[in-house]
Amino acid sequence: MSVRTRFAPSPTGYLHIGGVRTALYSWLHARRQGGRFVLRIEDTDLERSTPEATAAILEGMAWLGLDWDEGPFYQTQRMDRYREVLAQMLAAGTAYYCYCSREEVDAMREEQRTRGEKPRYDGRCRTRSTAREGVAPVIRFRSPDTGETVVEDLIHGRVSFQNSELDDLIIARSDGTPTYNFCVVVDDWDMGITHVIRGDDHLNNTPRQMQILQALGANLPVYAHVPMILGPDKQKLSKRHGAVSVLEYREQGFLPDALLNFLIRLGWSHGDEEIFSREQMIEFFQINTVNKAASAFNPEKLLWINAQHMQRLSPEGLAQHLRPYLDAQGITEASLAQGPDLSAVVALLQERAKTLVEMAEAARIFYLAPVTGEVKDVEKHLHGQGALLESLLQHLEALPVWTAAAIHSAIQELAVSHAEGKMGKIAQPLRVAVAGRAVSPPIDGTLALLGKAETLARIRHARSWLAAV
Ligand code: GLU
């Protein structure tokens, strides 16, 4: 039977990074087995589900390239089907109407507690044959009384539950709406899911879902419950640890493949390897080798992995990823067209930048001349350097070829004649004049790319406003 996996998020907030890891594992398992990956939006909680959250899920999945073969299916559009299955179960006697009021159930639990028993619904409506006037009943699943339900989990191993511990679950509320565990069961059944890969916060739901599937005569899927992600302090990962929404990582300038690489490594390994391409992830991933212990999120490692992925892309490929971040820096198509070739700029910056945001900031200087009032580090590096700028102009202007090597030699000569051989004493004022601040990629390469005319124009401009202050 071909493998079918699914990702089934509830659209009640942003797409959480922990959910993305579950989605990734589920997607990888399908891709590796040549199976199909289904996306299902579990939106039955009408109060907490929003269209914005659904949109954020779809956007996040698309950004990450976690493409789905079927769906998105929406549970709110499947209500007729759930009602149909409820009716079948009532007819078959695997479900029954329960007319107990809340007070009655509460009193039952109270008595059980005083007897020292674990509170549970005692099944008294299983045999109640008549409706109660004016009471809208719930529907309960008729669960087995004895035996055990065993989850052979691919990650957690064998987990067994005593059936006597599991009481008759409500599968439809008194207003007729089906409950969460029931919808999941019908969906997994209808969608032919062979492998349920989900967060281990759902492990306790699994025996109940298995019992209902059995009552329906459905094949049981294989289960794999993925542990959660912890913050660096080993507490459950939450907002106070930083970004948890996947789209925030896009905003911060991470490459989708780098984020996936980081997530796959949380609790899974392949020898000592750290960096995986998307193809390698598909080739190597095995769901049954995921750790059952929760893993901690390490932001430094994410940055490192991102830098590694940035370095491995071709400059042209990386330039494509960079475009939206340049937009955000106010670098328009027009200024890109006037400045140096973007791939060449990327090649110069590729070794150093850890994120696309950092790279876009560093790329600014190639497309936007420094604005006089915004130049930084003037006090420290540029004041009183009018004469130096003058000599720089002369030396650079006189260069017969405009290459990084020629520019480097010119700076070196000036360092010898003006600064006791200290390159920094020349390079820093030059950086501030040309780039508007004392940090830039290697100055010779920067000027080579910027071009002779633009470099000289910027130095002249700095010289004239320096003279005026
Ligand atoms: N909708 C559930 C959640 O977002 C997932 C349920 C499942 O995967 O079975 O936690």
Side-chain angles (χ1 to χ4, degrees):
M1 190 170 46
S2 81
V3 163
R4 294 175 61 85
T5 67
R6 58 20 168 226
F7 178 48
S10 305
T12 53
Y14 41 77
L15 178 53
H16 191 282
I17 195 87
V20 172
R21 187 175 56 143
T22 306
L24 170 65
Y25 287 179
S26 194
W27 179 84
L28 284 172
H29 189 67
R31 291 288 169 265
R32 181 183 160 80
Q33 309 287 335
R36 293 177 75 78
F37 177 62
V38 177
L39 179 61
R40 177 167 88 218
I41 305 293
E42 303 205 319
D43 56 351
T44 46
D45 184 341
L46 297 179
E47 265 163 38
R48 294 177 57 224
S49 301
T50 65
E52 293 76 23
T54 299
I57 290 168
L58 300 183
E59 195 178 338
M61 296 287 284
W63 174 63
L64 291 164
L66 297 180
D67 54 336
W68 53 92
D69 305 302
E70 291 171 33
F73 298 109
Y74 294 86
Q75 289 187 325
T76 44
Q77 291 172 11
R78 292 180 37 81
M79 289 297 157
D80 289 346
R81 173 64 182 149
Y82 304 138
R83 285 198 190 98
E84 185 180 52
V85 179
L86 284 168
Q88 280 169 16
M89 291 179 72
L90 286 167
T94 50
Y96 61 90
Y97 285 115
C98 168
Y99 291 89
C100 293
S101 64
R102 179 174 295 265
E103 293 71 28
E104 191 171 348
V105 174
D106 286 348
M108 176 194 314
R109 296 213 162 112
E110 200 42 53
E111 281 165 30
Q112 289 164 333
R113 264 189 220 103
T114 40
R115 286 200 302 268
E117 294 167 11
K118 196 174 159 202
R120 61 199 296 280
Y121 181 71
D122 65 4
R124 64 182 61 173
C125 281
R126 284 176 178 178
T127 52
R128 201 195 297 269
S129 53
T130 49
R132 277 192 182 171
E133 194 74 19
V135 178
V138 299
I139 300 176
R140 286 186 188 269
F141 171 60
R142 168 69 169 89
S143 64
D145 301 319
T146 55
E148 56 178 7
T149 301
V150 177
V151 187
E152 296 286 359
D153 192 273
L154 290 182
I155 297 174
H156 288 264
R158 182 190 164 92
V159 189
S160 77
F161 298 82
Q162 291 304 314
N163 290 342
S164 56
E165 298 278 312
L166 304 166
D167 59 3
D168 291 353
L169 185 74
I170 296 180
I171 55 177
R173 300 179 191 88
S174 55
D175 64 2
T177 57
T179 57
Y180 168 73
N181 276 301
F182 179 72
C183 297
V184 170
V185 162
V186 176
D187 288 349
D188 285 340
W189 182 33
D190 284 354
M191 294 169 196
I193 301 303
T194 59
H195 292 74
V196 170
I197 299 172
R198 62 180 168 204
D200 66 3
D201 47 335
H202 289 285
L203 184 54
N204 283 332
N205 289 328
T206 303
R208 295 183 178 283
Q209 294 182 5
M210 287 168 69
Q211 289 180 347
I212 302 174
L213 283 165
Q214 275 159 339
L216 288 168
N219 288 330
L220 290 180
V222 175
Y223 292 92
H225 286 91
V226 179
M228 53 181 182
I229 304 181
L230 304 177
D233 58 358
K234 305 278 155 65
Q235 301 296 308
K236 190 175 173 187
L237 186 70
S238 73
K239 267 191 186 155
R240 72 197 158 79
H241 294 110
V244 283
S245 144
V246 69
L247 293 176
E248 278 179 76
Y249 287 92
R250 178 175 68 178
E251 246 167 69
Q252 291 177 10
F254 290 96
L255 286 167
D257 285 15
L259 187 58
L260 295 181
N261 185 162
F262 171 73
L263 291 173
I264 197 179
R265 279 285 293 111
L266 280 178
W268 175 85
S269 56
H270 184 258
D272 294 334
E273 286 169 48
E274 288 291 359
I275 304 301
F276 299 92
S277 67
R278 191 173 281 259
E279 293 69 33
Q280 288 172 321
M281 291 191 226
I282 294 172
E283 189 183 338
F284 300 140
F285 181 71
Q286 284 185 335
I287 187 72
N288 55 354
T289 57
V290 170
N291 277 349
K292 61 177 162 211
S295 355
F297 189 99
N298 176 348
E300 288 300 315
K301 181 155 178 195
L302 173 57
L303 277 172
W304 178 78
I305 289 180
N306 200 52
Q308 297 296 316
H309 276 260
M310 286 176 72
Q311 284 169 23
R312 279 162 207 229
L313 278 173
S314 69
E316 293 73 25
L318 189 50
Q320 284 306 319
H321 284 282
L322 187 66
R323 292 297 283 267
Y325 299 87
L326 296 173
D327 262 8
Q329 291 282 329
I331 302 169
T332 58
E333 287 292 326
S335 37
L336 273 179
Q338 280 161 19
D341 173 47
L342 183 58
S343 301
V345 170
V346 166
L348 182 74
L349 302 175
Q350 208 164 357
E351 279 298 309
R352 293 192 181 188
K354 287 203 173 69
T355 67
L356 292 162
V357 168
E358 247 179 65
M359 185 177 263
E361 277 166 4
R364 259 180 86 97
I365 59 162
F366 293 97
Y367 302 102
L368 304 173
V371 178
T372 307
E374 293 171 10
V375 174
K376 299 200 178 78
D377 308 314
V378 175
E379 276 304 314
K380 190 160 166 216
H381 295 297
L382 213 50
H383 263 160
Q385 298 286 15
L388 174 66
L389 290 186
E390 200 53 57
S391 315
L392 267 167
L393 269 175
Q394 282 168 15
H395 273 71
L396 294 175
E397 202 156 18
L399 286 181
V401 286
W402 192 254
T403 60
I407 295 165
H408 187 84
S409 312
I411 297 173
Q412 213 161 22
E413 269 171 40
L414 268 172
V416 172
S417 59
H418 282 68
E420 297 149 359
K422 290 184 184 136
M423 293 274 284
K425 293 233 155 133
I426 310 296
Q428 290 305 68
L430 182 56
R431 279 201 169 92
V432 178
V434 173
R437 54 189 170 161
V439 274
S440 78
I443 188 70
D444 41 10
T446 302
L447 299 193
L449 266 184
L450 200 54
K452 189 169 187 177
E454 180 67 16
T455 302
L456 297 181
R458 288 191 189 182
I459 300 174
R460 280 193 200 104
H461 182 71
R463 185 189 55 182
S464 60
W465 66 254
L466 200 57
V469 287

